Amino acid sequence: MAASDPETAQRQIDEIDALSSIYGDDWCVVDEDERIFCIKISDSLEQPKWTVCLQVILPSEYPASAPPIYQLNAPWLRGQDYIELTNSLEEIYVKNLGESILYLWVEKIREVLIEKSQSSDAAGPNIEKITEEIDEDNEDDYSLEYQPVQEDTIKTLNFVISESQEDEELPPINHGNPISDRRSTFQAHLAPIVSPKQVKMVLAKLYENKKIASATHNIYAYRIYCEDKQTYLQDCEDDGETAAGGRLLHLMQEESSKQLGKNKSVRKDKKRTEH
């Protein structure tokens, strides 16, 4: 992945070298060409109880004008815990626009983990598989008829829309056809969103479907263009399927780049015609 200019490329190299030196074996290069990296973060070096893997993809514009694409991997990191942590990372990015922020992100995550280890959850997370494989015998019944889920399922998902989101309108959701491959079933869902609140609303609506709520992996990605900052607000989740959410977001970025290139060509052609 080529950086947008030599200075940005050098800043990426310097940051990667520094992080590798600081975190040693906890820093992992997933794909050097695509600038995909992963770091294991825990509350303690000796006896870790809470651990998160932060995976990042560095766009060519980072850190000058774009944030890293990231995902947080931990079996216990769901619901409100996930929302609060991602909000903290986004705040760090906004406060440090144009700066290298990966070290700040890592230490913020570590701070959160230390706080958790010192709380009533000091025994550590109870890592249980909270989702199940779709029963292959019931694949023919896979439909998009929304049915209310039981109360205990709602508690397990821990996905609640706050009162402040009630003002937002739920966007239309388009559903793809289910595809079965090697004993697994996949289905895509698409919605036009203009705010992170709408992302949460769409996910909450999808989770009303028992088939979706009990799926082994619910990955998603979104991109929202912020005109005031002239950049994208984006995030992804792989839900245990390593790099799946990040790669989905990468595809969305590529599509945006292609569309931007087409728009520039149209504008140039228009100028030539006017002259």
Side-chain angles (χ1 to χ4, degrees):
M1 179 183 295
S4 57
D5 59 71
E7 181 181 354
T8 301
Q10 189 59 49
R11 291 178 67 185
Q12 285 194 15
I13 292 171
D14 292 343
E15 183 176 21
I16 292 167
D17 289 345
L19 293 169
S20 177
S21 177
I22 293 170
Y23 298 113
D25 292 339
D26 289 333
W27 174 262
C28 173
V29 179
V30 178
D31 189 325
E32 188 170 8
D33 291 336
E34 294 294 328
R35 298 283 181 175
I36 304 176
F37 306 93
C38 184
I39 179 169
K40 181 180 179 183
I41 310 165
S42 56
D43 60 319
S44 170
L45 295 177
E46 290 78 19
Q47 295 180 325
K49 297 175 182 177
W50 298 87
T51 301
V52 169
C53 286
L54 170 66
Q55 183 167 304
V56 295
I57 302 175
L58 302 184
S60 59
E61 301 87 359
Y62 172 80
S65 60
I69 303 166
Y70 74 94
Q71 57 191 29
L72 298 166
N73 301 327
W76 57 270
L77 188 58
R78 292 175 177 272
Q80 195 61 33
D81 284 333
Y82 178 82
I83 293 171
E84 290 177 357
L85 186 50
T86 55
N87 286 343
S88 296
L89 299 187
E90 289 167 5
E91 287 176 8
I92 290 174
Y93 170 71
V94 171
K95 290 179 180 178
N96 298 273
L97 289 174
E99 302 296 327
S100 300
I101 58 168
L102 292 183
Y103 175 80
L104 297 177
W105 276 9
V106 171
E107 292 309 310
K108 178 60 182 180
I109 295 170
R110 193 186 309 281
E111 177 186 319
V112 170
L113 297 180
I114 291 173
E115 288 177 358
K116 289 188 71 67
S117 69
Q118 295 173 347
S119 71
S120 59
D121 298 322
N126 179 19
I127 300 176
E128 296 179 351
K129 188 176 182 182
I130 67 171
T131 57
E132 298 177 355
E133 291 282 357
I134 296 175
D135 186 353
E136 188 155 354
D137 294 335
N138 294 328
E139 282 182 357
D140 293 337
D141 298 328
Y142 197 92
S143 67
L144 291 168
E145 291 295 325
Y146 288 110
Q147 303 175 23
V149 294
Q150 299 299 318
E151 184 177 356
D152 57 347
T153 305
I154 296 175
K155 290 180 180 179
T156 302
L157 289 169
N158 195 19
F159 200 93
V160 181
I161 299 177
S162 65
E163 293 181 0
S164 62
Q165 290 175 261
E166 293 178 357
D167 296 336
E168 296 280 352
E169 183 179 349
L170 177 69
I173 305 174
N174 298 312
H175 310 282
N177 295 323
I179 300 173
S180 295
D181 180 47
R182 288 173 291 183
R183 298 180 61 83
S184 295
T185 298
F186 306 89
Q187 186 173 27
H189 311 278
L190 208 62
I193 52 96
V194 295
S195 72
K197 292 179 181 178
Q198 286 189 323
V199 175
K200 298 171 186 178
M201 294 174 71
V202 169
L203 291 173
K205 183 63 178 178
L206 289 172
Y207 285 153
E208 291 179 11
N209 184 308
K210 290 192 291 185
K211 293 285 187 178
I212 296 175
S214 62
T216 305
H217 305 293
N218 281 313
I219 70 168
Y220 68 83
Y222 69 85
R223 300 191 82 210
I224 303 169
Y225 184 68
C226 304
E227 292 187 3
D228 55 339
K229 298 184 179 67
Q230 293 189 340
T231 187
Y232 284 93
L233 177 61
Q234 56 191 16
D235 196 6
C236 60
E237 165 64 31
D238 68 3
D239 195 24
E241 185 69 14
T242 304
R247 294 187 184 281
L248 179 59
L249 185 53
H250 185 61
L251 289 173
M252 295 171 68
Q253 286 184 314
E254 288 184 343
E255 190 62 30
S256 295
S257 298
K258 291 178 183 177
Q259 189 61 44
L260 181 61
K262 290 180 181 178
N263 291 340
K264 287 182 178 178
S265 298
V266 170
R267 286 197 294 269
K268 288 180 180 178
D269 291 340
K270 185 178 180 181
K271 287 182 179 178
R272 292 194 190 102
T273 302
E274 289 174 350
H275 290 310

